[in-house]
Amino acid sequence: MSLISSEMPQKLLAWYEVHRRDLPWRRDPTPYRVWVSEVMLQQTQVDTVIPYYQRFLSRFPELADLARARLEEVLPLWSGLGYYRRARDLHAAARKISSEHGGQFPRDRDQVLALPGIGPYTAGAVLSLAFNLPEPVLDGNVERVLTRLLALPGNPRQSANVRRLREEARGLIPAGRAGDFNQALMELGALICLPLGPRCLDCPLAGLCRARRRGQPERFPEKKPAKKTVPVSLAVLVIERDGKLLLENRPPALEGGQPAYLRGLWNFPALEVEDPEQPPYQLSEAIRARWGAAIRISCRLGSARHSITFRKITLHVWRGEVDGHPSPASKTRPGRVPHLAWRWARPEELGSRYAVPSLAWKVLGLLQKPFSGPRGSAAFPKKPPGKPARAAPPDPESGRPP
Ligand code: ADE
């Protein structure tokens, strides 16, 4: 028996009719379009997502276009959004839908949940928003709205509370209006029922809200204990030759060099170190061993901070000079061969041709002097539009780091 008034859905839907934002994924909400938007929105704010979404949909208008593409064509479109794991899973799931479901996004919940990167939240979102099936969605916004309506004590992510909130959300869905109702709940959380300073005077549900009746809506949801953070020192080597920068791509399965959370992307050679004051000779030695190029570490460029999930990383950036004009021994094309690859990349290719981790922009920022490109021009690329919404929470669906 729910403690939320049965008047709630109609009040919420009436408010949504008037106040809904005109967002690109709400026009023509096909399963594919809804799915892409929900994956992008998982850890990134709406304003940031919009240009990425539009770019992605114009490059891959249909699921079949995404399934046909190579991963290397997909990842650069994610550059700047962070959490590349989401893009890899999206691509793998599109291929699975093509091969196992005849290219049609499945309507069956278990089949949807069997797709890479799709957990209960994304499944509920696609099934309700695109197919109008009565499935609940429980993202951070919805969790907050329901927790306040109920004045639910305790951590809302704790399993008994998750079950309770999902059942409340399911029980409130009005017949035939699952999509609008779920969007409306998310919208209320995003625009009115804010984490700090909720706008109760504008809220259509204020009269039904137990947390408000107690005079302290902001006390809900109750705070979770903060996650422990781990400090990391990462030495990074910037090596330029003829206006190009040396990047490496180390596949996830290959040990050594780039730490696991950076593998699979193009990045400056980097290594976790114990003593950040020492030049990273291990890195220059690894490059010499790999393709015979002697690298001289010439100076320290500076340091910067960057967070990835629970890691608080300090980047220690060094400049290396390469003697002579060696070419990388590995001539593998990106993605073709599952082992280490090297490239000399023009700065403007970072984030466009080569998918780079967000910390690469901070490394570039430390090269204060105009880049000594072939024509002596300053050719620094800008970080792509937008930035990840927050430093780096784990993936809500899998709990994995990006
Ligand atoms: N956040 C997550 N999903 C959303 C959606 N469909 N619309 C607006 N914000 C969202």
Side-chain angles (χ1 to χ4, degrees):
M1 170 65 189
S2 173
L3 292 175
I4 299 176
S5 162
S6 57
E7 294 168 37
M8 183 275 204
Q10 288 318 320
K11 284 184 187 290
L12 180 63
L13 284 169
W15 172 86
Y16 183 61
E17 290 289 320
V18 178
H19 296 281
R20 59 181 282 168
R21 288 170 293 176
D22 179 23
L23 300 174
W25 45 89
R26 290 184 178 161
R27 298 176 215 149
D28 189 18
T30 63
Y32 172 66
R33 290 169 56 87
V34 168
W35 173 40
V36 172
S37 72
E38 291 299 337
V39 172
M40 287 189 171
L41 286 162
Q42 267 166 27
Q43 279 138 319
T44 313
Q45 285 161 353
V46 166
D47 290 347
T48 304
V49 163
I50 290 173
Y52 284 92
Y53 178 78
Q54 288 169 328
R55 222 162 30 124
F56 197 91
L57 264 290
S58 49
R59 174 68 186 79
F60 307 116
E62 302 290 339
L63 191 146
D65 302 311
L66 178 59
R68 262 196 304 272
R70 286 185 300 120
L71 182 60
E72 293 66 38
E73 298 171 74
V74 178
L75 293 180
L77 289 174
W78 217 267
S79 212
L81 270 179
Y83 303 102
Y84 283 96
R85 172 94 247 155
R86 297 182 291 174
R88 293 179 207 283
D89 283 342
L90 195 69
H91 180 247
R95 291 196 160 175
K96 185 165 177 178
I97 293 169
S98 274
S99 61
E100 296 179 17
H101 301 287
Q104 300 297 313
F105 198 98
R107 290 173 69 101
D108 175 80
R109 188 166 185 276
D110 290 336
Q111 289 183 345
V112 177
L113 284 171
L115 296 169
I118 298 201
Y121 169 76
T122 312
V126 178
L127 292 172
S128 63
L129 307 188
F131 294 119
N132 213 16
L133 294 170
E135 288 288 335
V137 292
L138 202 61
D139 69 353
N141 284 329
V142 175
E143 176 189 283
R144 189 168 60 255
V145 171
L146 295 178
T147 303
R148 286 178 178 168
L149 283 171
L150 293 161
L152 185 73
N155 178 355
R157 304 271 162 103
Q158 186 241 326
S159 57
N161 281 339
V162 171
R163 269 198 305 279
R164 165 90 192 272
L165 292 174
R166 284 182 65 79
E167 286 323 303
E168 291 281 354
R170 189 188 297 279
L172 287 165
I173 296 171
R177 302 291 307 273
D180 284 342
F181 178 76
N182 284 345
Q183 289 272 18
L185 262 181
M186 292 195 257
E187 199 76 336
L188 192 78
L191 301 181
I192 302 288
C193 196
L194 305 174
L196 299 175
R199 297 172 48 203
C200 299
L201 293 178
D202 296 323
C203 180
L205 307 182
L208 312 177
C209 181
R210 286 170 176 254
R212 177 153 197 264
R213 233 174 281 150
R214 295 191 187 176
Q216 293 172 303
E218 286 173 40
R219 271 202 41 223
F220 297 90
E222 288 179 3
K223 292 240 176 327
K224 318 177 266 299
K227 271 239 174 86
K228 277 227 167 68
T229 58
V230 174
V232 170
S233 293
L234 190 71
V236 179
L237 204 45
V238 176
I239 303 167
E240 54 175 286
R241 188 196 74 178
D242 297 339
K244 295 183 177 174
L245 298 162
L246 183 71
L247 300 182
E248 71 165 25
N249 188 332
R250 180 173 288 262
L254 197 64
E255 298 285 312
Q258 303 279 354
Y261 48 86
L262 294 173
R263 288 185 208 146
L265 296 173
W266 290 96
N267 194 23
F268 300 101
L271 188 70
E272 283 186 9
V273 290
E274 303 253 309
D275 180 0
E277 301 311 314
Q278 286 292 322
Y281 295 120
Q282 254 180 295
L283 262 178
S284 51
E285 178 52 28
I287 296 167
R288 193 198 58 73
R290 190 80 201 164
W291 49 279
I295 304 291
R296 194 162 40 81
I297 299 174
S298 59
C299 66
R300 190 184 176 123
L301 287 165
S303 56
R305 290 185 192 283
H306 187 78
S307 291
I308 298 182
T309 60
F310 54 87
R311 298 175 192 86
K312 298 268 173 255
I313 301 172
T314 307
L315 303 167
H316 301 273
V317 184
W318 301 79
R319 189 189 279 283
E321 310 287 338
V322 60
D323 291 337
H325 282 256
S327 320
S330 153
K331 282 283 182 197
T332 55
R333 287 170 60 80
R336 283 280 168 85
V337 181
H339 57 65
L340 185 67
W342 304 91
R343 288 290 178 282
W344 288 109
R346 288 198 306 277
E348 65 272 22
E349 291 176 323
L350 271 63
S352 52
R353 182 158 184 207
Y354 299 101
V356 297
S358 298
L359 59 76
W361 307 111
K362 294 189 181 167
V363 174
L364 278 185
L366 288 170
L367 292 164
Q368 320 99 325
K369 282 192 293 177
F371 188 72
S372 53
R375 276 164 270 111
S377 60
F380 281 114
K382 293 245 178 350
K383 183 184 186 303
K387 56 179 167 23
R390 270 174 288 135
D395 184 323
E397 298 283 28
S398 65
R400 279 175 302 192

